[in-house]
Amino acid sequence: MAATSSQEKKKLYKCVLCNTEGLGNFVYISHIKSKRHLKNLKDRNLPQPNDESNRTIQVTGFKLTPEDDVIQVFLKYGVRLVTRTQSAITIEFHSAEGASKALEDQHHCRGIRLHTSPIKFKRHNAGRSSVPVSPRTWSHLRNHATGNSLNQLIYDLISDLEIKFNEYEKREYLTKLMVRFLTPHFPKVIAHMFGSSANNLGFTGCDVDLYVDLGVYPWDPGYTRGESQTYASNLTWYLAREIRKSRRGVQVQAVPRARVPIVKFQETSTGLFVDLSFRHNMPVYNTKLIFQYTKTHSLVRPYMMIIRCWAKIQNIAGGGEPSWLITNYALSLMMLFYLMYRNDPIIPSVASLKLLPLCHNGPYVVDGWDCSFSDDVGMWIKKHHNASVIHIVAEFFEFFSDLDASEWVISPYAGRLFKKADIKRKDLKHLPNCMLPYCQQNTDIQLNTPFCVQDVFELSHNCTRGLKKGPLTEFQYKCKVAAQISRNVSMGTQSLSDLLEVTEVTPAVLENIVEEERVTKKGVVSDQEVITLDDSSASQDSVEILDVTGNDDSSTEEEEVIPVSMKLLAALDNSVRARQSSSCENGSVKCSDEEQIIMNTSDSEVEVLATADKLDEEVSVIGEMKATPPTSSSAHAAENGLSENDMDLSIGPREFAESVPEKRPLKYVLNFEDIPEFSITFDGAVSGCNNVMNSDDDIAQAACSLTHFVLQQCLKVEVSVMEDFLGSKKRKNFENEEDIDSAKRLKTENGESVSVATKYRRLAQYKCTAEVQLWVGRKKVTKTVPRAVNATPLQHELAITEVQLESQDSCKCPIPIDCLIEVWQKCNNSTYILLTGKSLSENTSVKGNVIQMYSYLTSLVQNLLKKVTQHVHATSTKR
């Protein structure tokens, strides 16, 4: 017991949010009670956990015992935050499991028994109670359904949510009452409903947004800015005072300093809550536009109602209170934008509507902005789309979960994404002609925000300017979770009720986000560096250098695996200094320039696969390259019948800098285990079945076809086929003369002695020339290109390539890249495919670009192999 207590005292703690570690008991207690820790917990640039009720307990009965001693008793459960009242201590833990365990156990401090009890927090405006859905409908939503049955559940949900006819009548009556009340004060008054009450997307019981044209306008150009603010403020207070005096409303609240001053109150005769504004009637036109879009196609309204319901339950959208939430209007614009932006648009952009003949008098100019649009959408109403409501909902979540919001402006006006830099320049060379009204304005849209959604009429207005980074990150995290659930709902493996559950943001999720941001800041890469795919299991960490000599037998710990580009940079300095001090012998190259690249080439065919067994240890079968822990060279040599000098494949970053060979191709492993039978064509078509690909020739053909497709079709590399796959009979076994001369041979299971090199055979050899670097910045372009309905993963990649080629940002190589890419197959394991590459140029710049190209090539091939597998399984199941 004493030993256990001693171990607890010696335990060190860390705080991920505050980036501190190695803290002892009382130092950690002081830290979690500090202002700095509390400030970081409440940082609005980070998502806020929403599961406090499950992680918080109250401790009582400690009498005069020091607070720190009481807290120390609970440290072993993972304390996150402590607050003290006169007679109790509230402790928040890192996990619900820790809180549960703390409640179950008995605790004593200085001989006094401590009493623990759970604490429940009420979360306002969140959860299922925040939406008007009946218990009967909730029970129906728990059923797993697909097709028409799922659509019926969606319409039942909407039937509960939507504003009923009698509510519309009550709201119209309220509008007339307010006109009648204001007429003695403002004889020319006119009132219009806008927002959720009038845009066909409102929930039953929602507030009434009312615009009143009072016949006076505080923002007249004849006033200065200060005079306008004073006039508007006085008018706001006057309206609030008159409403309160007449008892037309209760709970009256004036908000005079807002961008749009409003008076909030509850109307006495109807009981409805009202937001009264008087600045201008642009919101009325916004409402009419959204209403028209909901009628443009039968898919639009159900899709928007489900997402609004989901956002309400998740407490990530609302009427602007608190101010860091996404407003309902901004969320509506985001939903409409995706319907315009997807590969098969369901609605036209606002700019497109402006080009059609107006079916009513116009244009309508409000505050200098044209708010007119055509209601001629007949062709869109009749259009057929091969998508269901839940599929489009899933696409929306996927799009916004992956969007790099810091780089783009979302423009429902144009139906496109624009780079913030292009919007800032206001240059029509980088913007479409429809953006001319914005370019002609003197006012700029606010771009220094985490998220930017451009208004459909007032193009200089950012509708999400108040959104903080934390709520945005929370929104994207919840979108990511919802996207997976939506896909499962469409397949019938989860219910619609699961989608409408609150997504918990736990401290563990928060800490992962913080760690990822720190890693990103430490490893920031410029646009000119190679970007690997987000969802690929392969990355730059998978790219290694072959045939490097030197071991450090004194090292006992596994070296850290780092990307090849970082290894090259780390090794470059030491290598150059060593070579500058003395000339290299045995034909090695002397470096006199720090720009000398590490990877040198030779005229020989291949310098790869020195020992197959060592390669097996260094390369995992799932395609991720791992640095092998240094072991005893003599022991390994004895095991394989080799001398110590032959062992040259296993090195760490330190040894890499000390031993820079002249010849070292790049290597990467693809795993074709449990891959279904498939074939591809150069137009991106994929065909196949669920049968596992077992034939050596089939695997070899698939590997060569996929590699050739990525090189020539996706990256637009000019490929000269030096050697192509011809089948087992004509395939040549790779034999390295140096290996034969050095008598490196191994015994097989039947006792035969074979050359190490014959364990691999080359399938194909491609001489590649690249004039454009499509691998540079491709990740960003990928996120802006929606996937077409029924498109294969390969066809989607071709669409990304087309967008890159059309873009002015596509990078041309200063010097054409020449390299050699080869495909290899292991003789005794046909699912083990190896890609190697090397530069054919002595130019140091070209060699660096080859490394970038090869890194993205291998990452993309691995990623497409995974997606093609999923595509074949999905299409085969449907058939």
Side-chain angles (χ1 to χ4, degrees), residues 86-341:
Q86 187 174 2
S87 59
I89 297 176
T90 302
I91 301 178
E92 180 184 330
F93 297 93
H94 285 287
S95 66
E97 292 77 11
S100 177
K101 183 67 174 165
L103 289 171
E104 292 174 1
D105 296 346
Q106 291 186 1
H107 309 283
H108 294 81
C109 183
R110 295 194 176 187
I112 300 175
R113 181 178 176 181
L114 304 177
H115 302 283
T116 58
S117 59
I119 293 182
K120 295 298 180 183
F121 295 94
K122 290 184 178 180
R123 294 188 61 84
H124 300 285
N125 302 322
R128 290 184 171 183
S129 60
S130 64
V131 292
V133 179
S134 66
R136 182 168 177 245
T137 302
W138 280 126
S139 64
H140 289 170
L141 295 179
R142 295 189 185 98
N143 298 328
H144 293 203
T146 58
N148 292 332
S149 299
L150 178 59
N151 290 336
Q152 186 59 50
L153 288 177
I154 292 173
Y155 292 126
D156 290 344
L157 173 64
I158 294 173
S159 177
D160 275 13
L161 293 173
E162 65 187 359
I163 299 175
K164 309 304 185 288
F165 179 73
N166 62 329
E167 288 187 87
Y168 276 116
E169 289 184 328
K170 186 186 290 187
R171 291 160 196 266
E172 291 290 348
Y173 174 68
L174 182 146
T175 304
K176 294 176 182 178
L177 279 179
M178 292 307 301
V179 171
R180 194 180 309 160
F181 164 71
L182 292 172
T183 299
H185 306 277
F186 305 96
K188 298 181 180 180
V189 64
I190 301 174
H192 300 276
M193 273 195 302
F194 67 95
S196 298
S197 296
N199 63 11
N200 205 23
L201 297 174
F203 291 177
T204 181
C206 66
D207 297 349
V208 179
D209 295 307
L210 199 63
Y211 163 72
V212 288
D213 183 352
L214 302 174
V216 294
Y217 191 63
W219 295 272
D220 189 277
Y223 298 121
T224 65
R225 183 176 179 180
E227 290 173 339
S228 294
Q229 288 180 348
T230 302
Y231 191 178
S233 178
N234 293 338
L235 187 55
T236 305
W237 286 113
Y238 174 78
L239 289 171
R241 185 171 60 252
E242 291 300 318
I243 293 171
R244 189 182 297 111
K245 282 173 55 178
S246 65
R247 299 192 179 181
R248 175 54 59 191
V250 295
Q251 302 179 36
V252 182
Q253 179 186 359
V255 187
R257 291 292 179 181
R259 179 176 175 270
V260 178
I262 60 174
V263 179
K264 303 169 71 71
F265 62 96
Q266 184 180 15
E267 205 276 329
T268 51
S269 62
T270 61
L272 293 172
F273 288 89
V274 181
D275 289 350
L276 184 73
S277 65
F278 54 87
R279 176 160 185 174
H280 52 58
N281 63 342
M282 188 178 292
V284 178
Y285 291 105
N286 292 336
T287 300
K288 290 181 179 179
L289 177 67
I290 295 174
F291 180 87
Q292 177 174 300
Y293 275 133
T294 63
K295 298 290 186 180
T296 300
H297 198 278
S298 58
L299 291 171
V300 178
R301 185 170 182 255
Y303 149 82
M304 296 183 74
M305 290 289 280
I306 287 179
I307 295 177
R308 280 172 65 96
C309 179
W310 171 85
K312 183 72 173 175
I313 290 171
Q314 303 296 342
N315 196 31
I316 57 176
E321 289 189 7
S323 60
W324 55 77
L325 294 183
I326 301 174
T327 63
N328 286 327
Y329 175 60
L331 181 63
S332 297
L333 294 187
M334 291 161 61
M335 292 187 285
L336 292 173
F337 167 80
Y338 181 72
L339 296 181
M340 305 169 188
Y341 184 74

Side-chain angles (χ1 to χ4, degrees), residues 758-770:
T758 59
K759 296 195 73 174
Y760 288 83
R761 52 197 170 201
R762 186 170 59 206
L763 305 177
Q765 187 180 53
Y766 305 122
K767 183 180 179 182
C768 304
T769 303

